[in-house]
């Protein structure tokens, strides 16, 4: 039996990864890796989210989905007023704030890509490479890079999943900018899977995109996430030094795109 690492990773995205059309209101693609310590995740995060669901819905079968909450669809037609919805969102933000996890993310600013990059790059695969590198560096800091770490992503469709798995394994086999072999395994979860980790990853991705697009706009959710980003300098530097570490942007302003 392989030695498993102490960490589990849940992945979600915000925005369209395609380059054929550009949404003028949201021309970014964000990939977010939420890295949890397994014991803490199972003992604390899962139970906190379940208690939240019991309080608001009376059962724990609801799947928290940022888009549906924002648009008040499906289970999220419960809000009696704007104030009710805001209290719901504030409580959810407090849970994210109190939860311990490391965030490794990448934002692809599709509207800033050159015609050559549009022709040759897949934003999802590009973001995946950056996030896997950050994940490896984090695990190396913890002395866990030689153990097997599972990376859980949501199913999107047979073709997309097959392409993603191929790209994932290619990068893990050493075709990455670190020239390292990554001990990661990808697991696909059904969209209906009631996974606390996937739901939290879904909730954090869009605030990152909004921060990239409108950094001057108040964004309480992003302010909460600043304390979670993988950053240069370890725990002493939490909330600082995360640009191009836990929050990678492509293309970069300060240098030619890699």
């Amino acid at each position: 039996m392989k030695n498993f690492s102490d960490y589990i990773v849940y992945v979600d995205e915000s925005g369209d990864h395609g380059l054929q059309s550009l949404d003028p209101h949201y021309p970014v693609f964000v990939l977010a890796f939420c890295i949890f310590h397994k014991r803490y995740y199972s003992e604390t995060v899962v139970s906190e989210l379940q208690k939240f669901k019991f309080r608001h819905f009376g059962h724990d079968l609801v799947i928290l989905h940022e888009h549906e909450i924002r648009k008040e669809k499906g289970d999220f037609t419960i809000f009696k007023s704007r104030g009710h919805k805001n209290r719901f969102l504030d409580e959810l933000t407090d849970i994210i704030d109190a939860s311990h996890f490391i965030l490794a993310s990448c934002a692809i600013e599709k509207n800033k890509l050159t015609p050559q990059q549009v022709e040759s790059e897949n934003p999802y695969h590009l973001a995946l490479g950056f996030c896997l590198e950050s994940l490896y560096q984090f695990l190396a800091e913890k002395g866990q890079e030689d153990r097997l770490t599972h990376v859980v992503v949501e199913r999107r469709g047979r073709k997309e999943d097959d392409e993603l798995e191929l790209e994932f394994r290619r990068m893990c086999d050493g075709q990455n900018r670190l020239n390292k072999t990554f001990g990661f395994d990808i697991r696909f979860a059904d969209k209906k899977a009631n996974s606390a980790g996937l739901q939290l990853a879904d909730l954090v991705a869009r605030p990152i995109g909004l921060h990239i697009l409108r950094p001057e706009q108040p964004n309480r959710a992003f302010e909460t996430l600043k304390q979670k980003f993988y950053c240069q300098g370890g725990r002493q530097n939490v909330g600082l030094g995360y640009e191009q570490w836990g929050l990678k942007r492509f293309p970069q302003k300060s240098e030619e795109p890699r």
Side-chain angles (χ1 to χ4, degrees):
M1 190 178 82
K2 291 190 177 179
N3 282 331
F4 299 123
S5 83
D6 293 337
Y7 296 89
I8 180 82
V9 186
Y10 295 96
V11 179
D12 211 333
E13 66 205 68
S14 175
D16 178 11
H17 70 273
L19 290 170
Q20 289 73 33
S21 59
L22 204 62
D23 179 352
H25 303 295
Y26 198 80
V28 295
F29 174 77
V30 176
L31 197 65
F33 276 35
C34 293
I35 310 165
F36 293 92
H37 190 278
K38 288 174 183 172
R39 188 179 68 244
Y40 173 80
Y41 171 78
S42 58
E43 293 176 358
T44 304
V45 176
V46 174
S47 64
E48 285 302 315
L49 267 192
Q50 281 181 308
K51 285 186 277 189
F52 173 81
K53 291 177 184 181
F54 284 134
R55 278 196 301 276
H56 289 277
F57 302 97
H59 61 87
D60 63 347
L61 300 181
V62 172
I63 296 175
L64 299 170
H65 194 274
E66 186 275 337
H67 177 79
E68 290 189 352
I69 296 171
R70 185 161 40 90
K71 299 291 186 181
E72 299 182 20
K73 292 180 175 179
D75 287 307
F76 305 99
T77 56
I78 60 167
F79 305 120
K80 298 180 179 70
S81 64
R82 175 64 47 194
H84 182 196
K85 184 176 182 179
N86 286 340
R87 287 192 297 277
F88 177 93
L89 292 171
D90 285 346
E91 201 177 321
L92 203 45
T93 302
D94 287 342
I95 289 172
I96 293 171
D97 191 17
S99 298
H100 301 306
F101 61 92
I102 302 296
L103 183 53
S105 66
C106 180
I108 308 293
E109 297 180 77
K110 300 197 299 181
N111 54 330
K112 296 183 180 177
L113 296 176
T114 66
Q116 291 82 1
Q117 287 166 337
V118 169
E119 198 67 35
S120 63
E121 302 288 4
N122 176 319
Y124 196 114
H125 296 171
L126 195 59
L128 178 71
F130 285 122
C131 291
L132 287 176
E133 289 158 14
S134 296
L135 173 60
Y136 177 85
Q137 289 167 323
F138 168 77
L139 291 169
E141 285 179 14
K142 300 294 183 183
Q144 303 243 330
E145 73 275 22
D146 294 329
R147 298 186 182 187
L148 181 63
T149 299
H150 290 96
V151 177
V152 183
V153 302
E154 202 174 66
R155 289 195 181 283
R156 295 177 297 156
R158 173 62 68 85
K159 182 174 180 285
E160 292 94 335
D161 294 349
D162 287 349
E163 288 176 357
L164 174 57
E165 184 167 5
L166 195 66
E167 189 69 10
F168 182 95
R169 299 200 184 286
R170 184 185 70 79
M171 290 175 182
C172 289
D173 285 343
Q175 293 186 50
N176 54 69
R177 291 181 309 147
L178 302 179
N179 296 315
K180 299 278 190 183
T181 302
F182 299 157
F184 308 150
D185 191 21
I186 190 167
R187 305 295 296 177
F188 290 93
D190 189 272
K191 284 185 180 294
K192 295 184 176 68
N194 200 340
S195 160
L198 281 178
Q199 288 167 76
L200 281 178
D202 173 85
L203 292 168
V204 307
R206 186 174 171 84
I208 296 170
L210 292 175
H211 169 75
I212 295 295
L213 290 174
R214 296 185 281 279
E216 70 293 334
Q217 186 173 297
N219 185 338
R220 187 194 163 200
F222 183 79
E223 290 303 311
T224 296
L225 298 178
K226 280 165 83 166
Q227 308 301 312
K228 315 288 186 189
F229 284 114
Y230 176 55
C231 62
Q232 190 174 15
R235 293 179 71 117
Q236 299 77 17
N237 217 20
V238 163
L240 304 165
Y242 58 82
E243 290 278 354
Q244 295 307 121
W245 279 70
L247 175 52
K248 294 193 173 173
R249 298 171 67 158
F250 185 90
Q252 286 180 249
K253 294 176 191 168
S254 57
E255 62 181 59
E256 288 300 307
R258 293 188 180 94

